[in-house]
Amino acid sequence: MRRPTTARTALRAAAATLALSLTLAACSGGGGSDDPTTPASEDTAAASTDAPEEAPTPTAEDIAALEAVTVDGAPGAQPTVTLGATPFSVTAAVARVLDEGTGEEIADGDLVDLHSLWIKGLDGSQLSSTWESSTPEQIVVSEASLAPVLTDILVGGKVGTRFVFAVPSGEDESSLAVAEVVSKRPGRADGTAVAPADGLPTVTLADNGAPSIETVAGDPPAALTVQPLIEGAGPAVTAGQTVLVHYTGWLWDGTQFDSSWERSTPYPVENIGQGQVIAGWNEGLVGQKVGSQVLLVVPPDKGYGAEGSGETIPPDSTLVFVVDILAAS
């Protein structure tokens, strides 16, 4: 049985948003657009390079408070949680393993499905439960997207791991979650390679799956081009789903303007087909299979048109995206 872990580095965002994954780094412009293909503002880019603040270390009282929490119930079902005392409060993020699990080992970069039950520390009341909605949460196991106390547990852990996690959620308030890893899948496209058509940029993948491109001479296609590069074995994406993707975007000349890979955090596109993304994404991703990697060549009328976007995407730009479809629900 593993003991409560302490944070090695800073918590990169507030975990009290009632999700085990920290705030996804949205690639939105200064105007507040939800479009994941909009480059980050200069202020946001500058802030991302700042050294993280040192994370607070749990005290002996924090660890004791978590140890006093009782979790009952069989693995695979929603647990019953009894707080040792109310109000339950901790001064720093702290976690401990309840069950090691017996499934596949989890590696850095894996995408895992997990159920979670969140409890309000003030009075022990339930805040949310994915068991009740029958929809596990999907997170990428990465130090860039998770609190270190969670990567301490998950990296090298196994499918079936059940753990309890507590975090301050406000002044003199804390929240607590019990979570269980249900399954895992690669945090990148995984399937059968597809030979692309001639005349398109050539895609090369780094060891972690991050793409780069080699441009081609000549004018870009006038119409939206949707070229699968890897065909996954999952179900086809349907309109209205939330699609979790990794992506990189370039101008036709090969100038990169954005990449979720550099943030180590996939992007969730809600209501695909009519989502708050450019038309090239809404039209190009519906019908593609989960697990696939797709090359999109987006003409101006399916992208940012005559206005462009900020200083990074000029007017009338043709855009190139490589999109890994990790999950859809």
Short mmCIF file of all heavy atoms in Angstrom, two decimals, residues 220-270:
data_model
loop_
_atom_site.label_atom_id
_atom_site.label_comp_id
_atom_site.label_asym_id
_atom_site.label_seq_id
_atom_site.Cartn_x
_atom_site.Cartn_y
_atom_site.Cartn_z
N PRO A 220 -1.83 25.70 -52.73
CA PRO A 220 -2.57 24.74 -51.89
C PRO A 220 -3.89 24.35 -52.54
O PRO A 220 -4.38 25.05 -53.45
CB PRO A 220 -2.80 25.52 -50.61
CG PRO A 220 -2.83 26.96 -51.04
CD PRO A 220 -1.84 27.06 -52.15
N PRO A 221 -4.50 23.26 -52.09
CA PRO A 221 -5.82 22.89 -52.60
C PRO A 221 -6.84 24.00 -52.32
O PRO A 221 -6.77 24.68 -51.29
CB PRO A 221 -6.16 21.62 -51.82
CG PRO A 221 -4.86 21.12 -51.30
CD PRO A 221 -3.99 22.31 -51.09
N ALA A 222 -7.77 24.16 -53.23
CA ALA A 222 -8.80 25.19 -53.06
C ALA A 222 -9.93 24.72 -52.16
O ALA A 222 -10.65 25.54 -51.58
CB ALA A 222 -9.35 25.60 -54.43
N ALA A 223 -10.10 23.43 -52.04
CA ALA A 223 -11.18 22.86 -51.22
C ALA A 223 -10.60 22.22 -49.97
O ALA A 223 -9.40 21.89 -49.90
CB ALA A 223 -11.96 21.83 -52.02
N LEU A 224 -11.44 22.04 -48.97
CA LEU A 224 -11.03 21.37 -47.74
C LEU A 224 -10.53 19.97 -48.08
O LEU A 224 -11.22 19.19 -48.75
CB LEU A 224 -12.20 21.28 -46.76
CG LEU A 224 -11.98 20.47 -45.48
CD1 LEU A 224 -10.92 21.14 -44.60
CD2 LEU A 224 -13.29 20.30 -44.72
N THR A 225 -9.33 19.63 -47.60
CA THR A 225 -8.75 18.31 -47.81
C THR A 225 -8.69 17.58 -46.48
O THR A 225 -8.14 18.10 -45.51
CB THR A 225 -7.34 18.42 -48.41
OG1 THR A 225 -7.41 19.09 -49.67
CG2 THR A 225 -6.73 17.04 -48.61
N VAL A 226 -9.26 16.40 -46.44
CA VAL A 226 -9.27 15.57 -45.24
C VAL A 226 -8.54 14.27 -45.59
O VAL A 226 -9.08 13.43 -46.32
CB VAL A 226 -10.69 15.28 -44.76
CG1 VAL A 226 -10.66 14.44 -43.47
CG2 VAL A 226 -11.46 16.58 -44.54
N GLN A 227 -7.32 14.12 -45.10
CA GLN A 227 -6.49 12.97 -45.45
C GLN A 227 -6.13 12.18 -44.19
O GLN A 227 -5.29 12.59 -43.40
CB GLN A 227 -5.21 13.43 -46.14
CG GLN A 227 -4.19 12.32 -46.38
CD GLN A 227 -4.70 11.25 -47.31
OE1 GLN A 227 -4.96 11.50 -48.49
NE2 GLN A 227 -4.87 10.03 -46.80
N PRO A 228 -6.78 11.01 -43.98
CA PRO A 228 -6.35 10.17 -42.86
C PRO A 228 -4.90 9.71 -43.07
O PRO A 228 -4.52 9.32 -44.18
CB PRO A 228 -7.31 8.99 -42.90
CG PRO A 228 -8.51 9.50 -43.66
CD PRO A 228 -7.95 10.46 -44.67
N LEU A 229 -4.12 9.78 -42.01
CA LEU A 229 -2.74 9.28 -42.02
C LEU A 229 -2.62 7.98 -41.24
O LEU A 229 -1.80 7.13 -41.56
CB LEU A 229 -1.80 10.33 -41.44
CG LEU A 229 -1.79 11.69 -42.15
CD1 LEU A 229 -0.91 12.67 -41.38
CD2 LEU A 229 -1.30 11.56 -43.59
N ILE A 230 -3.41 7.87 -40.18
CA ILE A 230 -3.52 6.65 -39.39
C ILE A 230 -5.01 6.42 -39.16
O ILE A 230 -5.72 7.32 -38.73
CB ILE A 230 -2.80 6.78 -38.03
CG1 ILE A 230 -1.30 7.00 -38.22
CG2 ILE A 230 -3.05 5.55 -37.17
CD1 ILE A 230 -0.56 7.32 -36.93
N GLU A 231 -5.46 5.21 -39.47
CA GLU A 231 -6.87 4.89 -39.24
C GLU A 231 -7.00 4.10 -37.96
O GLU A 231 -6.46 2.99 -37.83
CB GLU A 231 -7.47 4.09 -40.40
CG GLU A 231 -8.95 3.81 -40.21
CD GLU A 231 -9.58 3.11 -41.39
OE1 GLU A 231 -8.89 2.88 -42.40
OE2 GLU A 231 -10.79 2.79 -41.31
N GLY A 232 -7.69 4.68 -36.99
CA GLY A 232 -7.89 4.02 -35.71
C GLY A 232 -8.96 2.95 -35.79
O GLY A 232 -9.68 2.82 -36.79
N ALA A 233 -9.07 2.18 -34.71
CA ALA A 233 -10.04 1.09 -34.67
C ALA A 233 -11.28 1.45 -33.87
O ALA A 233 -12.15 0.60 -33.66
CB ALA A 233 -9.37 -0.15 -34.06
N GLY A 234 -11.38 2.70 -33.41
CA GLY A 234 -12.51 3.11 -32.60
C GLY A 234 -13.73 3.46 -33.42
O GLY A 234 -13.71 3.42 -34.66
N PRO A 235 -14.80 3.86 -32.75
CA PRO A 235 -16.02 4.26 -33.46
C PRO A 235 -15.84 5.57 -34.19
O PRO A 235 -14.96 6.38 -33.86
CB PRO A 235 -17.06 4.38 -32.34
CG PRO A 235 -16.24 4.68 -31.12
CD PRO A 235 -14.95 3.94 -31.29
N ALA A 236 -16.65 5.79 -35.20
CA ALA A 236 -16.61 7.04 -35.94
C ALA A 236 -17.14 8.19 -35.10
O ALA A 236 -18.10 8.01 -34.33
CB ALA A 236 -17.41 6.92 -37.23
N VAL A 237 -16.52 9.34 -35.22
CA VAL A 237 -16.98 10.54 -34.52
C VAL A 237 -18.31 10.98 -35.12
O VAL A 237 -18.45 11.07 -36.35
CB VAL A 237 -15.94 11.67 -34.66
CG1 VAL A 237 -16.47 12.97 -34.09
CG2 VAL A 237 -14.63 11.26 -33.97
N THR A 238 -19.27 11.27 -34.27
CA THR A 238 -20.57 11.74 -34.74
C THR A 238 -20.81 13.18 -34.29
O THR A 238 -20.27 13.62 -33.27
CB THR A 238 -21.70 10.85 -34.21
OG1 THR A 238 -21.68 10.86 -32.77
CG2 THR A 238 -21.54 9.42 -34.70
N ALA A 239 -21.58 13.89 -35.05
CA ALA A 239 -21.88 15.29 -34.74
C ALA A 239 -22.50 15.40 -33.35
O ALA A 239 -23.33 14.58 -32.95
CB ALA A 239 -22.83 15.87 -35.79
N GLY A 240 -22.06 16.41 -32.61
CA GLY A 240 -22.58 16.66 -31.28
C GLY A 240 -21.72 16.09 -30.17
O GLY A 240 -21.90 16.46 -29.01
N GLN A 241 -20.79 15.21 -30.50
CA GLN A 241 -19.93 14.65 -29.47
C GLN A 241 -18.86 15.65 -29.03
O GLN A 241 -18.57 16.63 -29.72
CB GLN A 241 -19.23 13.38 -29.99
CG GLN A 241 -20.14 12.18 -30.13
CD GLN A 241 -19.36 10.93 -30.49
OE1 GLN A 241 -18.58 10.90 -31.44
NE2 GLN A 241 -19.58 9.86 -29.73
N THR A 242 -18.29 15.39 -27.86
CA THR A 242 -17.08 16.08 -27.44
C THR A 242 -15.89 15.22 -27.84
O THR A 242 -15.82 14.05 -27.47
CB THR A 242 -17.06 16.31 -25.92
OG1 THR A 242 -18.13 17.22 -25.58
CG2 THR A 242 -15.74 16.93 -25.48
N VAL A 243 -14.99 15.81 -28.61
CA VAL A 243 -13.86 15.06 -29.16
C VAL A 243 -12.59 15.57 -28.50
O VAL A 243 -12.33 16.78 -28.48
CB VAL A 243 -13.78 15.23 -30.69
CG1 VAL A 243 -12.63 14.42 -31.27
CG2 VAL A 243 -15.09 14.81 -31.34
N LEU A 244 -11.79 14.64 -27.97
CA LEU A 244 -10.52 15.00 -27.35
C LEU A 244 -9.42 14.77 -28.37
O LEU A 244 -9.27 13.66 -28.89
CB LEU A 244 -10.28 14.13 -26.11
CG LEU A 244 -9.09 14.52 -25.23
CD1 LEU A 244 -9.32 15.87 -24.57
CD2 LEU A 244 -8.83 13.45 -24.18
N VAL A 245 -8.66 15.83 -28.66
CA VAL A 245 -7.67 15.75 -29.74
C VAL A 245 -6.32 16.33 -29.30
O VAL A 245 -6.25 17.19 -28.43
CB VAL A 245 -8.14 16.51 -31.00
CG1 VAL A 245 -9.45 15.97 -31.52
CG2 VAL A 245 -8.25 18.02 -30.75
N HIS A 246 -5.26 15.82 -29.93
CA HIS A 246 -3.97 16.48 -29.95
C HIS A 246 -3.81 17.04 -31.36
O HIS A 246 -4.22 16.39 -32.34
CB HIS A 246 -2.85 15.48 -29.66
CG HIS A 246 -2.21 15.64 -28.32
ND1 HIS A 246 -1.94 16.87 -27.75
CD2 HIS A 246 -1.76 14.71 -27.44
CE1 HIS A 246 -1.36 16.69 -26.58
NE2 HIS A 246 -1.25 15.40 -26.35
N TYR A 247 -3.20 18.21 -31.49
CA TYR A 247 -3.09 18.80 -32.82
C TYR A 247 -1.90 19.74 -32.89
O TYR A 247 -1.41 20.26 -31.88
CB TYR A 247 -4.35 19.59 -33.17
CG TYR A 247 -4.52 20.84 -32.36
CD1 TYR A 247 -4.06 22.07 -32.82
CD2 TYR A 247 -5.12 20.81 -31.10
CE1 TYR A 247 -4.18 23.22 -32.06
CE2 TYR A 247 -5.24 21.94 -30.33
CZ TYR A 247 -4.78 23.15 -30.81
OH TYR A 247 -4.89 24.29 -30.05
N THR A 248 -1.44 19.96 -34.11
CA THR A 248 -0.50 21.03 -34.43
C THR A 248 -0.99 21.71 -35.69
O THR A 248 -1.53 21.06 -36.60
CB THR A 248 0.93 20.50 -34.63
OG1 THR A 248 1.35 19.83 -33.45
CG2 THR A 248 1.91 21.63 -34.93
N GLY A 249 -0.83 23.05 -35.75
CA GLY A 249 -1.27 23.81 -36.90
C GLY A 249 -0.14 24.63 -37.52
O GLY A 249 0.70 25.17 -36.81
N TRP A 250 -0.15 24.68 -38.85
CA TRP A 250 0.85 25.45 -39.60
C TRP A 250 0.16 26.26 -40.68
O TRP A 250 -0.95 25.94 -41.12
CB TRP A 250 1.84 24.52 -40.31
CG TRP A 250 2.61 23.57 -39.47
CD1 TRP A 250 3.86 23.74 -38.96
CD2 TRP A 250 2.21 22.25 -39.06
NE1 TRP A 250 4.26 22.63 -38.27
CE2 TRP A 250 3.28 21.70 -38.31
CE3 TRP A 250 1.06 21.47 -39.27
CZ2 TRP A 250 3.22 20.42 -37.76
CZ3 TRP A 250 1.00 20.21 -38.71
CH2 TRP A 250 2.07 19.69 -37.96
N LEU A 251 0.82 27.31 -41.12
CA LEU A 251 0.45 27.95 -42.37
C LEU A 251 0.92 27.06 -43.52
O LEU A 251 1.75 26.16 -43.34
CB LEU A 251 1.09 29.34 -42.47
CG LEU A 251 0.80 30.32 -41.33
CD1 LEU A 251 1.52 31.64 -41.61
CD2 LEU A 251 -0.69 30.53 -41.15
N TRP A 252 0.41 27.31 -44.72
CA TRP A 252 0.78 26.49 -45.88
C TRP A 252 2.29 26.51 -46.13
O TRP A 252 2.87 25.53 -46.62
CB TRP A 252 0.03 26.96 -47.12
CG TRP A 252 0.35 26.19 -48.36
CD1 TRP A 252 1.06 26.61 -49.45
CD2 TRP A 252 -0.02 24.83 -48.65
NE1 TRP A 252 1.16 25.62 -50.39
CE2 TRP A 252 0.50 24.50 -49.92
CE3 TRP A 252 -0.73 23.85 -47.95
CZ2 TRP A 252 0.31 23.25 -50.52
CZ3 TRP A 252 -0.91 22.60 -48.54
CH2 TRP A 252 -0.39 22.31 -49.80
N ASP A 253 2.96 27.61 -45.75
CA ASP A 253 4.41 27.69 -45.97
C ASP A 253 5.22 26.97 -44.90
O ASP A 253 6.45 26.99 -44.92
CB ASP A 253 4.87 29.15 -46.09
CG ASP A 253 4.72 29.93 -44.77
OD1 ASP A 253 4.36 29.33 -43.73
OD2 ASP A 253 4.95 31.15 -44.79
N GLY A 254 4.55 26.32 -43.96
CA GLY A 254 5.24 25.54 -42.94
C GLY A 254 5.48 26.26 -41.64
O GLY A 254 6.09 25.70 -40.73
N THR A 255 5.00 27.49 -41.51
CA THR A 255 5.17 28.24 -40.27
C THR A 255 4.18 27.72 -39.22
O THR A 255 2.97 27.80 -39.41
CB THR A 255 4.93 29.74 -40.49
OG1 THR A 255 5.83 30.22 -41.48
CG2 THR A 255 5.12 30.52 -39.20
N GLN A 256 4.70 27.19 -38.14
CA GLN A 256 3.82 26.67 -37.08
C GLN A 256 3.25 27.82 -36.27
O GLN A 256 3.97 28.75 -35.91
CB GLN A 256 4.60 25.73 -36.16
CG GLN A 256 3.75 25.14 -35.04
CD GLN A 256 4.53 24.21 -34.14
OE1 GLN A 256 5.26 23.34 -34.60
NE2 GLN A 256 4.38 24.40 -32.83
N PHE A 257 1.95 27.73 -35.97
CA PHE A 257 1.34 28.77 -35.15
C PHE A 257 0.73 28.24 -33.86
O PHE A 257 0.37 29.02 -32.98
CB PHE A 257 0.29 29.57 -35.93
CG PHE A 257 -0.84 28.74 -36.49
CD1 PHE A 257 -1.94 28.43 -35.72
CD2 PHE A 257 -0.81 28.31 -37.81
CE1 PHE A 257 -2.98 27.67 -36.22
CE2 PHE A 257 -1.85 27.56 -38.34
CZ PHE A 257 -2.93 27.24 -37.55
N ASP A 258 0.63 26.93 -33.72
CA ASP A 258 0.02 26.41 -32.50
C ASP A 258 0.25 24.91 -32.39
O ASP A 258 0.39 24.22 -33.41
CB ASP A 258 -1.47 26.71 -32.49
CG ASP A 258 -2.11 26.44 -31.13
OD1 ASP A 258 -1.37 26.42 -30.14
OD2 ASP A 258 -3.32 26.26 -31.08
N SER A 259 0.29 24.39 -31.16
CA SER A 259 0.42 22.96 -30.95
C SER A 259 0.01 22.57 -29.54
O SER A 259 0.58 23.07 -28.57
CB SER A 259 1.86 22.50 -31.20
OG SER A 259 1.98 21.10 -30.96
N SER A 260 -0.96 21.69 -29.42
CA SER A 260 -1.31 21.16 -28.10
C SER A 260 -0.21 20.25 -27.56
O SER A 260 -0.08 20.09 -26.35
CB SER A 260 -2.63 20.38 -28.17
OG SER A 260 -2.49 19.21 -28.97
N TRP A 261 0.58 19.67 -28.44
CA TRP A 261 1.68 18.81 -28.01
C TRP A 261 2.68 19.58 -27.16
O TRP A 261 3.25 19.03 -26.22
CB TRP A 261 2.39 18.20 -29.22
CG TRP A 261 1.59 17.19 -29.95
CD1 TRP A 261 0.81 17.40 -31.06
CD2 TRP A 261 1.47 15.79 -29.64
NE1 TRP A 261 0.21 16.23 -31.45
CE2 TRP A 261 0.61 15.23 -30.61
CE3 TRP A 261 2.02 14.98 -28.66
CZ2 TRP A 261 0.28 13.87 -30.60
CZ3 TRP A 261 1.69 13.63 -28.66
CH2 TRP A 261 0.83 13.09 -29.62
N GLU A 262 2.91 20.84 -27.49
CA GLU A 262 3.87 21.63 -26.74
C GLU A 262 3.37 21.96 -25.34
O GLU A 262 4.15 22.31 -24.47
CB GLU A 262 4.22 22.90 -27.51
CG GLU A 262 4.97 22.61 -28.81
CD GLU A 262 5.38 23.86 -29.55
OE1 GLU A 262 4.98 24.97 -29.13
OE2 GLU A 262 6.08 23.73 -30.57
N ARG A 263 2.06 21.87 -25.13
CA ARG A 263 1.48 22.08 -23.80
C ARG A 263 1.26 20.75 -23.07
O ARG A 263 0.85 20.75 -21.91
CB ARG A 263 0.16 22.84 -23.92
CG ARG A 263 0.29 24.23 -24.50
CD ARG A 263 -1.04 24.96 -24.50
NE ARG A 263 -2.03 24.35 -25.37
CZ ARG A 263 -2.11 24.58 -26.68
NH1 ARG A 263 -1.25 25.40 -27.27
NH2 ARG A 263 -3.04 24.00 -27.41
N SER A 264 1.45 19.64 -23.80
CA SER A 264 1.24 18.30 -23.24
C SER A 264 -0.17 18.10 -22.74
O SER A 264 -0.42 17.29 -21.86
CB SER A 264 2.24 18.00 -22.11
OG SER A 264 3.56 18.05 -22.58
N THR A 265 -1.11 18.83 -23.33
CA THR A 265 -2.51 18.72 -22.92
C THR A 265 -3.41 18.68 -24.15
O THR A 265 -3.46 19.64 -24.91
CB THR A 265 -2.93 19.90 -22.04
OG1 THR A 265 -2.50 21.12 -22.63
CG2 THR A 265 -2.36 19.78 -20.65
N PRO A 266 -4.11 17.56 -24.38
CA PRO A 266 -5.06 17.51 -25.49
C PRO A 266 -6.17 18.54 -25.32
O PRO A 266 -6.40 19.05 -24.23
CB PRO A 266 -5.62 16.09 -25.43
CG PRO A 266 -4.63 15.33 -24.62
CD PRO A 266 -4.05 16.30 -23.65
N TYR A 267 -6.86 18.81 -26.40
CA TYR A 267 -7.91 19.83 -26.40
C TYR A 267 -9.28 19.17 -26.61
O TYR A 267 -9.46 18.38 -27.54
CB TYR A 267 -7.67 20.85 -27.50
CG TYR A 267 -8.56 22.05 -27.38
CD1 TYR A 267 -8.17 23.15 -26.63
CD2 TYR A 267 -9.82 22.08 -27.99
CE1 TYR A 267 -9.00 24.24 -26.49
CE2 TYR A 267 -10.65 23.17 -27.84
CZ TYR A 267 -10.24 24.25 -27.10
OH TYR A 267 -11.07 25.33 -26.95
N PRO A 268 -10.27 19.48 -25.76
CA PRO A 268 -11.62 18.94 -25.96
C PRO A 268 -12.45 19.87 -26.84
O PRO A 268 -12.62 21.04 -26.53
CB PRO A 268 -12.18 18.88 -24.54
CG PRO A 268 -11.48 20.00 -23.82
CD PRO A 268 -10.13 20.18 -24.47
N VAL A 269 -12.95 19.35 -27.93
CA VAL A 269 -13.80 20.12 -28.84
C VAL A 269 -15.24 19.70 -28.58
O VAL A 269 -15.64 18.58 -28.91
CB VAL A 269 -13.43 19.88 -30.31
CG1 VAL A 269 -14.28 20.77 -31.22
CG2 VAL A 269 -11.96 20.14 -30.54
N GLU A 270 -16.01 20.58 -28.00
CA GLU A 270 -17.40 20.26 -27.68
C GLU A 270 -18.30 20.46 -28.90
O GLU A 270 -18.06 21.33 -29.74
CB GLU A 270 -17.89 21.15 -26.53
CG GLU A 270 -17.14 20.91 -25.22
CD GLU A 270 -17.68 21.78 -24.11
OE1 GLU A 270 -18.58 22.60 -24.37
OE2 GLU A 270 -17.20 21.63 -22.96
#
